[in-house]
Amino acid sequence: MFVRALLAWAIAATLIPQSIEQLTDKSTHVVRAKVVAQRSAREKGPAGIYTRTTLQVLETLKGPAAEELVVRQAGGTIGTETVELIGDAKLHEGEKVLAFLDCRWADHCTVIGLAQGKFHLEADASGRLAARRDFSKTAFVGEPLSGAAQPYA
């Protein structure tokens, strides 16, 4: 399998930590959503391969309401070729997420702050929603952020 990393020289992406307030300010949309579909294809741009993920919006916290939003991310797999943007948010079909998005384009949105802009949502042992982030392959300048599960109200 051929794997090409967009930040191939780095073991981890280095990010400047962003607070929830900063992510919200930079977002046109903040949504609680379910990942319902993903498709990788060759598209113009430095990555060459991009993945478009369809989100079924369950709740809109910021921005105009929409039933679905499409998130475009650099990277994906076509056949035996994989491109990865290290430090980017990982979205998985069936997953419920809290996403901070920039939806200024007519046909897609992008995740704000790479991995910082996506929370995985799941019920904890008591049935309450908990939010966590995946910061694998991610380093931070200054104070690191925690990806540990936190209550989501």
Side-chain angles (χ1 to χ4, degrees), residues 12 23 36 38 42 49 53 59 66-67 71 74-75 89 115 125 131 133 148 151:
L23 292 169
V36 294
Q38 289 188 304
R42 295 194 187 284
I49 296 176
T53 301
E59 180 180 14
E67 288 184 23
V71 175
R133 293 186 276 190

Side-chain angles (χ1 to χ4, degrees), residues 73-133:
Q73 293 176 283
T77 300
I78 298 176
T80 60
E81 184 179 359
T82 297
V83 175
E84 178 184 6
L85 177 58
I86 295 171
D88 202 359
K90 305 240 183 307
L91 298 164
H92 306 281
E93 273 192 63
E95 177 182 33
K96 290 187 179 171
V97 300
L98 174 66
F100 294 80
L101 305 171
D102 181 354
C103 299
R104 292 178 289 153
W105 297 268
D107 66 338
H108 71 274
C109 305
T110 60
V111 179
I112 297 292
L114 299 172
Q116 297 176 87
K118 178 251 177 177
F119 288 78
H120 171 79
L121 299 175
E122 64 186 334
D124 64 14
S126 68
R128 293 183 42 196
L129 274 183
R132 66 176 170 76
R133 293 186 276 190

Side-chain angles (χ1 to χ4, degrees), residues 27-95:
S27 299
T28 61
H29 290 70
V30 178
V31 298
R32 187 173 59 86
K34 181 177 180 181
V35 176
V36 294
Q38 289 188 304
R39 180 182 60 83
S40 296
R42 295 194 187 284
E43 296 185 18
K44 288 184 180 180
I49 296 176
Y50 290 83
T51 298
R52 289 181 183 255
T53 301
T54 303
L55 301 179
Q56 174 190 12
V57 177
L58 305 173
E59 180 180 14
T60 301
L61 303 169
K62 179 181 178 182
E67 288 184 23
E68 288 187 339
L69 295 170
V70 174
V71 175
R72 180 180 186 248
Q73 293 176 283
T77 300
I78 298 176
T80 60
E81 184 179 359
T82 297
V83 175
E84 178 184 6
L85 177 58
I86 295 171
D88 202 359
K90 305 240 183 307
L91 298 164
H92 306 281
E93 273 192 63
E95 177 182 33

